[in-house]
Amino acid sequence: MNLSDNICAMATPSGGAIGIIRISGPDSITIADRHFSRNISEAKSHTLHYGVFASDSSMPIDDVMVAVFRAPHSYTGENSVEIYCHGSRYIMSQIIRTLIEAGCRQADPGEYTRRAFINGKMDLSQAEAVADLIAATGKASHDMALGQLRGNISSELSHLRDQLLKMTSLMELELDFSDHEELEFADRTALFHLATTIQERISSLASSFCTGQAIKQGIPVAIIGKTNVGKSTLLNRLVGEEKAIVSDIHGTTRDIIEDTIDIHGVTFRFVDTAGLRTTDDVIEQIGIERSYSALSKAAIVLWVIDTPPSEEELSDITSRCKGKQVIAVINKTDKFPATPLSTSGQSLSIPFSTLSISALNGTGINELTDAIYAKSGIPEIGENDAIITSARHYSSLLQAQESITRVLDGLEMNIPNDLLSEDLRQCLDALADITGGVITPSEVLNNIFSHFCIGK
């Protein structure tokens, strides 16, 4: 990637009422000016201009609005132009072709955000949040990505980084004055308490990864049960459309059917599975195997029943659902009152939450969706909360956690400062990997001078 290049690309797909084309680079305003009916070469930043955009042959292409952004006050930090035209595929392609002939090149995927990162408009974690924000499917994933884009994670890591730099500075300062044994800059008790606080915060950030992944990817929910208990009817009711075939014939569903819905801002991925029963049908057997596979991957299980289960069935479901959140859904209350959970006159204890519904007419569905959301364990996401969603961030936090744990162990064992300082630097480097920053010796030096008057 050459930052001296002028790049252009469609910022919106063609076919809509309005299309947006972006240009970025040192000559972007000059290039746009050549093909625009009004002079924008001296236009102020953040101004909007109406006129006609024409090709090299001066043939009008479209009436457009042109927005001018001057460096460094633009998304990329470079001179930038946005062209708002009609969303016709032909019009947008003609404008792109004209810009390329005028000296632009087609932007690479993500190049605008990459330039924004290189030019210091955002750090690496914020740049990654842009993609998450675009891909957000619900309020929770939107709020989480927006918080990261606004710098929630960056701010949290910056605070940790400052504390680590302080520790490193004190230790290295003490090393510089090692010939003066009477001087002690680093109080080990205070350093231990500080390192403990840092370790706890890093651990808390790392533990948020499970929540972040659940919100980002959607929480998997498996709908299981015997044939003809109403699993497909329940899926259709939840997603609001005829997604799965419903029939009185046993074994209708032979494959996994999946769809997503939003519950209180969180995306849930519902999987309708083949009915669990003994069968000689080879195709149905494959479907049942896939049902058990979906069950093993689910975080939440809806076990649909319409008659009291046998002890063997209950034992099988209980063993397969260890570690999962399970709701026993008693279906078909439209045909008869909620089925008592008893068999052969004996009360059968089910170790799961139970809820009575009618998937056919919708009775109890709102209560069921509320129960599903409660089972997810997703906390309320505040606008200032830092939630880790990236596996890369998680890996770096684990490395940082290992390093700061070594520091704590070293402080307890009275290990020399030079060894502790190395572990602190590794912790700093791991945190810096998340935001794309680099810890340099000059930063440590600057930190020393900001806290101490060495020449005094």
Side-chain angles (χ1 to χ4, degrees), residues 380-403:
E380 196 73 31
I381 305 297
E383 62 179 19
N384 296 320
D385 289 341
I387 306 294
I388 300 302
T389 62
S390 165
R392 186 182 70 81
H393 297 178
Y394 179 61
S395 176
S396 294
L397 284 169
L398 292 182
Q399 292 176 33
Q401 193 171 19
E402 289 178 8
S403 298

Side-chain angles (χ1 to χ4, degrees), residues 158-316:
S158 176
H159 179 64
L160 291 173
R161 180 176 177 274
D162 289 344
Q163 291 179 309
L164 287 165
L165 277 170
K166 180 181 177 181
M167 289 185 67
T168 305
S169 302
L170 289 169
M171 288 182 178
E172 295 197 5
L173 184 64
E174 196 165 291
L175 289 172
D176 288 341
F177 288 86
S178 58
D179 53 334
H180 297 277
E181 295 182 0
E182 73 281 4
L183 293 177
E184 183 183 34
F185 293 94
D187 182 334
R188 291 209 157 208
T189 301
L191 290 180
F192 184 84
H193 289 311
L194 181 57
T196 300
T197 301
I198 293 171
Q199 183 198 46
E200 289 173 352
R201 190 54 195 144
I202 291 174
S203 178
S204 176
L205 283 171
S207 65
S208 73
F209 179 64
C210 290
T211 298
Q213 281 289 285
I215 293 174
K216 184 177 178 179
Q217 297 181 359
I219 299 170
V221 182
I223 304 175
I224 66 167
K226 295 188 296 186
T227 57
N228 274 19
V229 293
K231 300 186 301 298
S232 296
T233 304
L234 176 57
L235 176 69
N236 291 343
R237 173 65 64 178
L238 288 167
V239 303
E241 62 175 293
E242 295 298 314
K243 192 75 176 181
I245 297 174
V246 176
S247 170
D248 291 334
I249 301 173
H250 288 274
T252 303
T253 302
R254 298 188 172 202
D255 205 348
I256 299 299
I257 300 174
E258 183 174 342
D259 207 344
T260 62
I261 68 169
D262 182 285
I263 301 176
H264 303 318
V266 177
T267 299
F268 290 82
R269 293 187 287 108
F270 286 87
V271 180
D272 180 24
T273 63
L276 306 179
R277 66 169 183 162
T278 302
T279 178
D280 294 328
D281 189 308
V282 176
I283 302 300
E284 190 177 351
Q285 286 176 351
I286 295 173
I288 293 170
E289 289 174 5
R290 292 183 178 181
S291 297
Y292 286 127
S293 176
L295 171 60
S296 68
K297 297 174 184 176
I300 300 173
V301 177
L302 302 184
W303 178 33
V304 184
I305 55 178
D306 62 355
T307 57
S310 66
E311 291 188 9
E312 292 76 16
E313 184 183 0
L314 177 60
S315 176
D316 180 56

Side-chain angles (χ1 to χ4, degrees), residues 444-455:
V444 176
L445 193 61
N446 290 339
N447 190 266
I448 291 174
F449 280 112
S450 67
H451 288 89
F452 301 92
C453 182
I454 298 295

